[in-house]
Amino acid sequence: MNTSDNQARKRSQRHRHWARRSHRVVAIGAFSFLILLAITGLLLNHSDDLGLPHQYISGAVAKGLYGVEAPPIDAAFTAAESVFVTLSGTLYADIAPVADDVGEIRGAVASNDIIVVVTDREFILTTREATLIERTDMASGQPLHRVGLDGSRVIVELADGRFEFDYDQMQLLALEPATSDITWSESVQPEDEQLQQLGNATSGQIISWERVLSDLHSGRILPTVGRYLFDLAALCLLYLCISGLFLWFRRR
Amino acid sequence: MLALDRKWLAAAMRIAVLTIFTSVAVAQSSVYQSKPEFLEEALGTAKPQSDVIWFDDELRAVATEILGHPPGMMRMRYWYDGPRTAWIVDEVGKEKPITLGIAIQNGEIQQMSVLQFRESRGWEIRYPFFTEQFDGVRLDKNDKLNERIDGITGATLSVRAATRSANLALVLSEYIRQPSQETITAP
């Protein structure tokens, strides 16, 4: 065997030696990150089956990790001794959730055994015990301004006038006979105790476990530096793949 | 042997690259058809008549079994023109409700449409290749759909929501078709 072959062989040995050592060092250094990535990745992959999008961390943990506090209540309206508010897209009667994916509350009135809650885009019917009966959005697409009562008639005001709301047919009727003797639903200030209970109830329904795992998986759980640490872990994993392939080829 | 290994490696790398760069569809919440538009299309009239069906204990139990949860409301509205009925159902896919319109005649689905989709994934169900699977579907003797609905990869929860909604609409349409059923009014 000539000198150049010897040199080539020695060079190849040095490369393999260097690759083995760096492969080991990187693997040890990134070990804990890789374990975390694997576990969070597995859980996220089966997130729906585990129900993680619908399981939430507590309000205290949400506040500590994410600084989440209950959003302020814009307006509250009383009807049949219940206080109706909307928070984070959910309609509450006192502290009990009634309906999700609602707009901004504009009023609430009680007529006979029915409560009509009006948001900027829909009518929500509940019983006096605040059990949801039916909901329907505005067919015309016009925003609802306010709701009131004329005796037992439910009157709503839109941009182009006032109408009677027929809660059996869930539709607007021409206001006949016209009336100006309308008691409009007025916003009220909820009591402090209700506000606190609502705050506890809602802030504990904001951050899901899926979100937490996703932030752990990406490193965003640690502000600023976390993302770059996990970028580094991902690059380490890439290096392990490449160096592993190199070593496997060289061996063959 | 080394040449064969490299061929396999090259193939594996290509597959890996394709997997990495496969695009993930991102969709915004979208209204595809308004309720009045759907009702007019389904029933052929701009102002169809409507009625409600109240969930009594028995019907609530049936609906709970179909949906996997109690119905969110005490009553469900439907629209009709002659023997044809139209139902608008809101059913949660993953986190947000999907609004579906279902037209039924003589116990058979005539049309299914996705009216509004609010989530970022699974919106493929709005396309005819999926919704047309429901055309002609009826209930079997167990009050389930008599046809198998093919799923869509990445839209499993949306597919299930659509299937549950179709099942519920068919069951409710049979409920109101029963001759012994009196007109249901508010309790």
Side-chain angles (χ1 to χ4, degrees), chain B residues 107-163:
Chain B
E108 192 174 282
I109 293 179
Q110 305 295 309
Q111 177 187 347
M112 165 169 307
S113 301
V114 176
L115 306 185
Q116 187 172 357
F117 195 88
R118 299 174 180 81
E119 297 189 301
S120 59
R121 262 190 259 176
W123 43 266
E124 296 91 336
I125 64 167
R126 75 177 181 97
Y127 289 115
F129 78 83
F130 175 75
T131 57
E132 282 176 355
Q133 292 186 90
F134 291 90
D135 293 352
V137 170
R138 311 173 71 88
L139 290 174
D140 63 16
K141 61 180 183 209
N142 297 317
D143 282 345
K144 303 292 180 195
L145 302 187
N146 71 337
E147 300 279 351
R148 184 178 168 276
I149 303 298
D150 288 336
I152 301 173
T153 303
T156 304
L157 296 178
S158 300
V159 168
R160 288 178 187 167
T163 305

Short mmCIF file of all heavy atoms in Angstrom, two decimals, chain B residues 107-163:
data_model
loop_
_atom_site.label_atom_id
_atom_site.label_comp_id
_atom_site.label_asym_id
_atom_site.label_seq_id
_atom_site.Cartn_x
_atom_site.Cartn_y
_atom_site.Cartn_z
N GLY B 107 -87.58 11.07 3.79
CA GLY B 107 -86.59 10.31 4.56
C GLY B 107 -85.25 10.18 3.89
O GLY B 107 -84.43 9.35 4.31
N GLU B 108 -84.99 10.98 2.89
CA GLU B 108 -83.73 10.86 2.14
C GLU B 108 -83.09 12.24 2.03
O GLU B 108 -83.77 13.23 1.74
CB GLU B 108 -84.07 10.32 0.74
CG GLU B 108 -82.91 9.86 -0.08
CD GLU B 108 -83.39 9.22 -1.37
OE1 GLU B 108 -83.84 8.07 -1.33
OE2 GLU B 108 -83.32 9.91 -2.41
N ILE B 109 -81.78 12.29 2.26
CA ILE B 109 -81.08 13.57 2.14
C ILE B 109 -81.01 13.95 0.65
O ILE B 109 -80.55 13.17 -0.18
CB ILE B 109 -79.67 13.49 2.75
CG1 ILE B 109 -79.77 13.31 4.27
CG2 ILE B 109 -78.88 14.76 2.43
CD1 ILE B 109 -78.44 13.20 4.98
N GLN B 110 -81.46 15.16 0.38
CA GLN B 110 -81.42 15.68 -0.99
C GLN B 110 -80.19 16.56 -1.22
O GLN B 110 -79.68 16.64 -2.33
CB GLN B 110 -82.67 16.50 -1.27
CG GLN B 110 -83.97 15.76 -1.02
CD GLN B 110 -84.15 14.60 -1.98
OE1 GLN B 110 -84.02 14.76 -3.18
NE2 GLN B 110 -84.43 13.43 -1.44
N GLN B 111 -79.76 17.18 -0.14
CA GLN B 111 -78.65 18.13 -0.30
C GLN B 111 -78.02 18.38 1.05
O GLN B 111 -78.71 18.48 2.06
CB GLN B 111 -79.19 19.45 -0.86
CG GLN B 111 -78.16 20.56 -1.01
CD GLN B 111 -78.79 21.87 -1.41
OE1 GLN B 111 -79.95 21.92 -1.80
NE2 GLN B 111 -78.03 22.95 -1.31
N MET B 112 -76.70 18.45 1.06
CA MET B 112 -76.01 18.90 2.26
C MET B 112 -75.04 20.00 1.83
O MET B 112 -74.34 19.87 0.83
CB MET B 112 -75.22 17.79 2.95
CG MET B 112 -74.26 18.41 3.93
SD MET B 112 -73.38 17.49 5.13
CE MET B 112 -74.43 16.55 6.04
N SER B 113 -75.03 21.07 2.62
CA SER B 113 -74.11 22.18 2.31
C SER B 113 -73.46 22.66 3.59
O SER B 113 -74.09 22.68 4.64
CB SER B 113 -74.89 23.35 1.69
OG SER B 113 -75.53 22.97 0.51
N VAL B 114 -72.19 23.03 3.48
CA VAL B 114 -71.51 23.67 4.59
C VAL B 114 -71.74 25.17 4.44
O VAL B 114 -71.31 25.78 3.47
CB VAL B 114 -70.00 23.36 4.58
CG1 VAL B 114 -69.29 24.11 5.70
CG2 VAL B 114 -69.78 21.86 4.73
N LEU B 115 -72.45 25.76 5.39
CA LEU B 115 -72.79 27.17 5.29
C LEU B 115 -71.69 28.05 5.87
O LEU B 115 -71.38 29.11 5.33
CB LEU B 115 -74.12 27.45 5.99
CG LEU B 115 -75.31 26.59 5.55
CD1 LEU B 115 -76.58 27.07 6.25
CD2 LEU B 115 -75.48 26.60 4.06
N GLN B 116 -71.15 27.63 7.01
CA GLN B 116 -70.09 28.41 7.63
C GLN B 116 -69.12 27.48 8.32
O GLN B 116 -69.54 26.55 9.02
CB GLN B 116 -70.67 29.41 8.64
CG GLN B 116 -69.62 30.36 9.21
CD GLN B 116 -70.22 31.48 10.05
OE1 GLN B 116 -71.44 31.60 10.17
NE2 GLN B 116 -69.37 32.32 10.62
N PHE B 117 -67.84 27.77 8.13
CA PHE B 117 -66.78 26.96 8.75
C PHE B 117 -65.88 27.90 9.52
O PHE B 117 -65.37 28.86 8.98
CB PHE B 117 -66.00 26.21 7.67
CG PHE B 117 -65.17 25.10 8.23
CD1 PHE B 117 -65.70 23.84 8.39
CD2 PHE B 117 -63.85 25.32 8.62
CE1 PHE B 117 -64.95 22.81 8.92
CE2 PHE B 117 -63.10 24.31 9.17
CZ PHE B 117 -63.64 23.04 9.32
N ARG B 118 -65.67 27.61 10.80
CA ARG B 118 -65.00 28.56 11.68
C ARG B 118 -63.62 28.13 12.15
O ARG B 118 -63.00 28.82 12.95
CB ARG B 118 -65.87 28.82 12.91
CG ARG B 118 -67.24 29.42 12.59
CD ARG B 118 -68.11 29.51 13.83
NE ARG B 118 -69.42 30.07 13.56
CZ ARG B 118 -70.45 29.40 13.06
NH1 ARG B 118 -70.34 28.13 12.77
NH2 ARG B 118 -71.62 30.00 12.84
N GLU B 119 -63.16 26.97 11.72
CA GLU B 119 -61.88 26.49 12.22
C GLU B 119 -60.81 26.60 11.13
O GLU B 119 -61.12 26.89 9.98
CB GLU B 119 -62.03 25.05 12.71
CG GLU B 119 -62.99 24.97 13.89
CD GLU B 119 -63.04 23.62 14.56
OE1 GLU B 119 -63.37 22.64 13.90
OE2 GLU B 119 -62.77 23.58 15.77
N SER B 120 -59.58 26.33 11.54
CA SER B 120 -58.48 26.52 10.59
C SER B 120 -58.18 25.27 9.79
O SER B 120 -57.45 25.31 8.82
CB SER B 120 -57.21 26.96 11.35
OG SER B 120 -56.85 25.98 12.30
N ARG B 121 -58.76 24.15 10.22
CA ARG B 121 -58.48 22.89 9.50
C ARG B 121 -59.77 22.12 9.29
O ARG B 121 -60.70 22.23 10.10
CB ARG B 121 -57.53 22.03 10.32
CG ARG B 121 -56.09 22.13 9.90
CD ARG B 121 -55.28 21.09 10.60
NE ARG B 121 -54.56 21.64 11.69
CZ ARG B 121 -53.82 20.94 12.54
NH1 ARG B 121 -53.75 19.65 12.42
NH2 ARG B 121 -53.16 21.51 13.50
N GLY B 122 -59.82 21.37 8.23
CA GLY B 122 -60.97 20.51 7.98
C GLY B 122 -61.98 21.11 7.05
O GLY B 122 -63.04 20.52 6.81
N TRP B 123 -61.68 22.29 6.49
CA TRP B 123 -62.66 22.99 5.65
C TRP B 123 -62.91 22.27 4.32
O TRP B 123 -63.80 22.64 3.56
CB TRP B 123 -62.18 24.42 5.37
CG TRP B 123 -60.75 24.50 5.03
CD1 TRP B 123 -59.72 24.75 5.90
CD2 TRP B 123 -60.13 24.28 3.75
NE1 TRP B 123 -58.52 24.72 5.24
CE2 TRP B 123 -58.73 24.43 3.93
CE3 TRP B 123 -60.62 23.98 2.49
CZ2 TRP B 123 -57.83 24.28 2.88
CZ3 TRP B 123 -59.72 23.83 1.44
CH2 TRP B 123 -58.34 23.97 1.65
N GLU B 124 -62.12 21.23 4.06
CA GLU B 124 -62.33 20.51 2.80
C GLU B 124 -63.71 19.89 2.70
O GLU B 124 -64.17 19.54 1.61
CB GLU B 124 -61.28 19.40 2.65
CG GLU B 124 -59.84 19.89 2.56
CD GLU B 124 -59.17 19.99 3.91
OE1 GLU B 124 -59.88 20.11 4.93
OE2 GLU B 124 -57.93 19.93 3.95
N ILE B 125 -64.39 19.74 3.83
CA ILE B 125 -65.71 19.10 3.79
C ILE B 125 -66.73 19.94 3.02
O ILE B 125 -67.80 19.45 2.69
CB ILE B 125 -66.26 18.81 5.20
CG1 ILE B 125 -66.49 20.10 5.99
CG2 ILE B 125 -65.35 17.86 5.96
CD1 ILE B 125 -67.32 19.88 7.25
N ARG B 126 -66.40 21.18 2.74
CA ARG B 126 -67.38 22.02 2.05
C ARG B 126 -67.47 21.69 0.56
O ARG B 126 -68.41 22.12 -0.10
CB ARG B 126 -67.02 23.49 2.23
CG ARG B 126 -65.84 23.99 1.38
CD ARG B 126 -65.67 25.47 1.61
NE ARG B 126 -64.59 26.05 0.85
CZ ARG B 126 -64.76 26.68 -0.31
NH1 ARG B 126 -65.96 26.82 -0.82
NH2 ARG B 126 -63.73 27.20 -0.94
N TYR B 127 -66.52 20.95 0.07
CA TYR B 127 -66.51 20.69 -1.37
C TYR B 127 -67.48 19.58 -1.74
O TYR B 127 -67.73 18.66 -0.97
CB TYR B 127 -65.11 20.35 -1.85
CG TYR B 127 -64.19 21.55 -1.84
CD1 TYR B 127 -63.09 21.60 -0.99
CD2 TYR B 127 -64.44 22.63 -2.69
CE1 TYR B 127 -62.25 22.70 -0.99
CE2 TYR B 127 -63.60 23.74 -2.68
CZ TYR B 127 -62.51 23.77 -1.82
OH TYR B 127 -61.69 24.86 -1.82
N PRO B 128 -68.03 19.64 -2.97
CA PRO B 128 -69.00 18.63 -3.40
C PRO B 128 -68.49 17.20 -3.33
O PRO B 128 -69.28 16.29 -3.09
CB PRO B 128 -69.29 19.03 -4.86
CG PRO B 128 -69.03 20.49 -4.91
CD PRO B 128 -67.88 20.72 -3.97
N PHE B 129 -67.17 17.00 -3.49
CA PHE B 129 -66.68 15.62 -3.45
C PHE B 129 -67.00 14.97 -2.10
O PHE B 129 -67.10 13.75 -2.01
CB PHE B 129 -65.17 15.54 -3.77
CG PHE B 129 -64.25 15.93 -2.64
CD1 PHE B 129 -63.91 15.02 -1.65
CD2 PHE B 129 -63.73 17.22 -2.55
CE1 PHE B 129 -63.06 15.38 -0.61
CE2 PHE B 129 -62.89 17.59 -1.52
CZ PHE B 129 -62.55 16.66 -0.55
N PHE B 130 -67.14 15.81 -1.06
CA PHE B 130 -67.51 15.26 0.25
C PHE B 130 -69.02 15.33 0.46
O PHE B 130 -69.65 14.34 0.81
CB PHE B 130 -66.80 16.03 1.37
CG PHE B 130 -67.25 15.59 2.73
CD1 PHE B 130 -66.81 14.38 3.26
CD2 PHE B 130 -68.13 16.35 3.49
CE1 PHE B 130 -67.25 13.95 4.51
CE2 PHE B 130 -68.57 15.94 4.72
CZ PHE B 130 -68.13 14.72 5.23
N THR B 131 -69.61 16.51 0.24
CA THR B 131 -71.03 16.69 0.59
C THR B 131 -71.95 15.82 -0.29
O THR B 131 -73.01 15.40 0.17
CB THR B 131 -71.45 18.16 0.46
OG1 THR B 131 -71.18 18.62 -0.86
CG2 THR B 131 -70.72 19.02 1.48
N GLU B 132 -71.53 15.55 -1.51
CA GLU B 132 -72.39 14.75 -2.39
C GLU B 132 -72.50 13.30 -1.93
O GLU B 132 -73.38 12.56 -2.39
CB GLU B 132 -71.88 14.82 -3.84
CG GLU B 132 -72.25 16.12 -4.53
CD GLU B 132 -71.66 16.25 -5.92
OE1 GLU B 132 -70.88 15.35 -6.33
OE2 GLU B 132 -71.97 17.25 -6.59
N GLN B 133 -71.62 12.91 -1.03
CA GLN B 133 -71.73 11.55 -0.48
C GLN B 133 -73.04 11.36 0.28
O GLN B 133 -73.52 10.24 0.45
CB GLN B 133 -70.57 11.26 0.49
CG GLN B 133 -69.22 11.16 -0.15
CD GLN B 133 -68.20 10.74 0.89
OE1 GLN B 133 -67.95 9.55 1.09
NE2 GLN B 133 -67.60 11.71 1.55
N PHE B 134 -73.59 12.48 0.76
CA PHE B 134 -74.80 12.39 1.58
C PHE B 134 -76.07 12.34 0.73
O PHE B 134 -77.14 12.04 1.26
CB PHE B 134 -74.87 13.59 2.53
CG PHE B 134 -73.83 13.55 3.61
CD1 PHE B 134 -72.60 14.14 3.41
CD2 PHE B 134 -74.09 12.93 4.83
CE1 PHE B 134 -71.62 14.09 4.40
CE2 PHE B 134 -73.12 12.89 5.82
CZ PHE B 134 -71.89 13.46 5.61
N ASP B 135 -75.95 12.62 -0.57
CA ASP B 135 -77.14 12.60 -1.42
C ASP B 135 -77.73 11.19 -1.43
O ASP B 135 -77.03 10.21 -1.70
CB ASP B 135 -76.78 13.02 -2.85
CG ASP B 135 -76.37 14.48 -2.94
OD1 ASP B 135 -76.52 15.19 -1.91
OD2 ASP B 135 -75.90 14.91 -4.00
N GLY B 136 -79.00 11.11 -1.15
CA GLY B 136 -79.68 9.82 -1.18
C GLY B 136 -79.52 8.99 0.09
O GLY B 136 -80.07 7.90 0.20
N VAL B 137 -78.78 9.50 1.05
CA VAL B 137 -78.57 8.73 2.29
C VAL B 137 -79.85 8.72 3.11
O VAL B 137 -80.55 9.73 3.22
CB VAL B 137 -77.39 9.33 3.09
CG1 VAL B 137 -77.31 8.72 4.47
CG2 VAL B 137 -76.09 9.10 2.34
N ARG B 138 -80.14 7.58 3.72
CA ARG B 138 -81.32 7.42 4.56
C ARG B 138 -80.89 6.84 5.90
O ARG B 138 -79.70 6.63 6.14
CB ARG B 138 -82.32 6.47 3.91
CG ARG B 138 -82.63 6.77 2.45
CD ARG B 138 -83.50 5.67 1.86
NE ARG B 138 -84.84 5.71 2.41
CZ ARG B 138 -85.84 6.42 1.92
NH1 ARG B 138 -85.66 7.16 0.84
NH2 ARG B 138 -87.04 6.40 2.48
N LEU B 139 -81.86 6.56 6.72
CA LEU B 139 -81.58 5.89 7.99
C LEU B 139 -81.73 4.39 7.81
O LEU B 139 -82.62 3.93 7.10
CB LEU B 139 -82.55 6.37 9.07
CG LEU B 139 -82.40 7.80 9.56
CD1 LEU B 139 -83.54 8.15 10.52
CD2 LEU B 139 -81.07 8.02 10.25
N ASP B 140 -80.86 3.64 8.52
CA ASP B 140 -81.06 2.19 8.52
C ASP B 140 -81.96 1.82 9.70
O ASP B 140 -82.49 2.69 10.39
CB ASP B 140 -79.71 1.46 8.57
CG ASP B 140 -78.92 1.73 9.85
OD1 ASP B 140 -79.51 2.23 10.83
OD2 ASP B 140 -77.71 1.46 9.87
N LYS B 141 -82.10 0.53 9.95
CA LYS B 141 -83.04 0.10 11.00
C LYS B 141 -82.55 0.51 12.39
O LYS B 141 -83.31 0.49 13.35
CB LYS B 141 -83.24 -1.40 10.92
CG LYS B 141 -81.99 -2.21 11.12
CD LYS B 141 -82.29 -3.68 11.02
CE LYS B 141 -80.96 -4.38 11.33
NZ LYS B 141 -80.71 -5.56 10.80
N ASN B 142 -81.28 0.88 12.50
CA ASN B 142 -80.75 1.32 13.79
C ASN B 142 -80.70 2.83 13.91
O ASN B 142 -80.03 3.37 14.80
CB ASN B 142 -79.33 0.76 14.00
CG ASN B 142 -79.33 -0.75 14.05
OD1 ASN B 142 -80.20 -1.35 14.69
ND2 ASN B 142 -78.38 -1.38 13.36
N ASP B 143 -81.38 3.52 13.00
CA ASP B 143 -81.38 4.99 12.98
C ASP B 143 -79.99 5.57 12.77
O ASP B 143 -79.68 6.65 13.27
CB ASP B 143 -81.99 5.56 14.28
CG ASP B 143 -83.51 5.49 14.27
OD1 ASP B 143 -84.09 5.28 13.18
OD2 ASP B 143 -84.11 5.63 15.34
N LYS B 144 -79.15 4.82 12.06
CA LYS B 144 -77.85 5.35 11.64
C LYS B 144 -77.90 5.55 10.14
O LYS B 144 -78.81 5.06 9.46
CB LYS B 144 -76.73 4.36 11.99
CG LYS B 144 -76.64 3.99 13.45
CD LYS B 144 -76.22 5.15 14.30
CE LYS B 144 -76.15 4.74 15.76
NZ LYS B 144 -76.10 5.91 16.64
N LEU B 145 -76.90 6.23 9.60
CA LEU B 145 -76.86 6.44 8.15
C LEU B 145 -76.69 5.10 7.45
O LEU B 145 -75.91 4.26 7.89
CB LEU B 145 -75.70 7.38 7.77
CG LEU B 145 -75.70 8.77 8.40
CD1 LEU B 145 -74.59 9.62 7.81
CD2 LEU B 145 -77.04 9.46 8.23
N ASN B 146 -77.40 4.91 6.38
CA ASN B 146 -77.34 3.62 5.69
C ASN B 146 -76.19 3.54 4.70
O ASN B 146 -76.04 2.53 4.02
CB ASN B 146 -78.67 3.33 4.98
CG ASN B 146 -78.86 4.21 3.76
OD1 ASN B 146 -78.29 5.29 3.67
ND2 ASN B 146 -79.68 3.76 2.82
N GLU B 147 -75.41 4.60 4.58
CA GLU B 147 -74.25 4.57 3.70
C GLU B 147 -73.02 4.98 4.50
O GLU B 147 -73.09 5.80 5.42
CB GLU B 147 -74.40 5.58 2.55
CG GLU B 147 -75.60 5.36 1.65
CD GLU B 147 -75.36 4.28 0.62
OE1 GLU B 147 -74.21 3.82 0.48
OE2 GLU B 147 -76.34 3.89 -0.04
N ARG B 148 -71.90 4.40 4.11
CA ARG B 148 -70.64 4.77 4.75
C ARG B 148 -70.11 6.05 4.12
O ARG B 148 -70.07 6.18 2.90
CB ARG B 148 -69.62 3.64 4.57
CG ARG B 148 -68.31 3.88 5.28
CD ARG B 148 -67.37 2.69 5.09
NE ARG B 148 -66.03 3.02 5.53
CZ ARG B 148 -65.13 3.65 4.79
NH1 ARG B 148 -65.41 3.99 3.56
NH2 ARG B 148 -63.93 3.92 5.25
N ILE B 149 -69.73 6.99 4.95
CA ILE B 149 -69.20 8.27 4.46
C ILE B 149 -67.68 8.22 4.52
O ILE B 149 -67.11 8.00 5.59
CB ILE B 149 -69.72 9.45 5.30
CG1 ILE B 149 -71.25 9.47 5.32
CG2 ILE B 149 -69.16 10.78 4.79
CD1 ILE B 149 -71.91 9.66 3.97
N ASP B 150 -67.04 8.41 3.39
CA ASP B 150 -65.57 8.40 3.35
C ASP B 150 -65.02 9.65 4.02
O ASP B 150 -65.52 10.75 3.82
CB ASP B 150 -65.07 8.35 1.90
CG ASP B 150 -65.32 7.00 1.27
OD1 ASP B 150 -65.43 6.01 2.02
OD2 ASP B 150 -65.42 6.94 0.03
N GLY B 151 -63.97 9.44 4.80
CA GLY B 151 -63.36 10.56 5.51
C GLY B 151 -62.38 11.32 4.64
O GLY B 151 -62.14 10.98 3.48
N ILE B 152 -61.83 12.37 5.21
CA ILE B 152 -60.80 13.17 4.54
C ILE B 152 -59.62 13.27 5.50
O ILE B 152 -59.81 13.63 6.68
CB ILE B 152 -61.31 14.59 4.23
CG1 ILE B 152 -62.55 14.53 3.34
CG2 ILE B 152 -60.22 15.43 3.56
CD1 ILE B 152 -63.22 15.88 3.13
N THR B 153 -58.44 12.94 5.02
CA THR B 153 -57.25 13.00 5.87
C THR B 153 -57.06 14.43 6.38
O THR B 153 -57.07 15.38 5.61
CB THR B 153 -56.01 12.58 5.07
OG1 THR B 153 -56.24 11.27 4.56
CG2 THR B 153 -54.79 12.55 5.96
N GLY B 154 -56.92 14.54 7.69
CA GLY B 154 -56.72 15.86 8.28
C GLY B 154 -58.01 16.58 8.59
O GLY B 154 -57.99 17.70 9.12
N ALA B 155 -59.14 15.95 8.28
CA ALA B 155 -60.43 16.61 8.54
C ALA B 155 -61.36 15.65 9.28
O ALA B 155 -62.58 15.73 9.14
CB ALA B 155 -61.07 17.06 7.23
N THR B 156 -60.78 14.77 10.05
CA THR B 156 -61.57 13.71 10.69
C THR B 156 -62.69 14.28 11.55
O THR B 156 -63.84 13.83 11.47
CB THR B 156 -60.66 12.84 11.57
OG1 THR B 156 -59.60 12.34 10.76
CG2 THR B 156 -61.43 11.69 12.18
N LEU B 157 -62.37 15.26 12.37
CA LEU B 157 -63.38 15.79 13.28
C LEU B 157 -64.48 16.52 12.53
O LEU B 157 -65.66 16.47 12.91
CB LEU B 157 -62.72 16.71 14.32
CG LEU B 157 -61.72 16.01 15.24
CD1 LEU B 157 -61.09 17.00 16.20
CD2 LEU B 157 -62.40 14.90 16.03
N SER B 158 -64.12 17.22 11.46
CA SER B 158 -65.14 17.90 10.65
C SER B 158 -66.04 16.89 9.96
O SER B 158 -67.26 17.07 9.89
CB SER B 158 -64.47 18.79 9.60
OG SER B 158 -63.65 19.76 10.21
N VAL B 159 -65.45 15.82 9.47
CA VAL B 159 -66.24 14.76 8.81
C VAL B 159 -67.22 14.16 9.81
O VAL B 159 -68.40 13.94 9.51
CB VAL B 159 -65.31 13.68 8.24
CG1 VAL B 159 -66.08 12.44 7.83
CG2 VAL B 159 -64.53 14.23 7.05
N ARG B 160 -66.73 13.90 11.01
CA ARG B 160 -67.62 13.32 12.02
C ARG B 160 -68.75 14.27 12.38
O ARG B 160 -69.89 13.85 12.58
CB ARG B 160 -66.82 12.97 13.28
CG ARG B 160 -65.91 11.77 13.12
CD ARG B 160 -65.12 11.52 14.38
NE ARG B 160 -64.12 10.48 14.20
CZ ARG B 160 -63.13 10.23 15.06
NH1 ARG B 160 -63.03 10.93 16.17
NH2 ARG B 160 -62.26 9.27 14.81
N ALA B 161 -68.43 15.56 12.49
CA ALA B 161 -69.47 16.54 12.81
C ALA B 161 -70.53 16.57 11.73
O ALA B 161 -71.74 16.62 12.02
CB ALA B 161 -68.85 17.93 12.98
N ALA B 162 -70.12 16.52 10.48
CA ALA B 162 -71.07 16.53 9.37
C ALA B 162 -71.92 15.26 9.39
O ALA B 162 -73.14 15.31 9.17
CB ALA B 162 -70.32 16.64 8.03
N THR B 163 -71.30 14.15 9.68
CA THR B 163 -72.03 12.88 9.72
C THR B 163 -73.06 12.88 10.85
O THR B 163 -74.20 12.45 10.67
CB THR B 163 -71.04 11.71 9.90
OG1 THR B 163 -70.05 11.77 8.87
CG2 THR B 163 -71.74 10.37 9.84
#
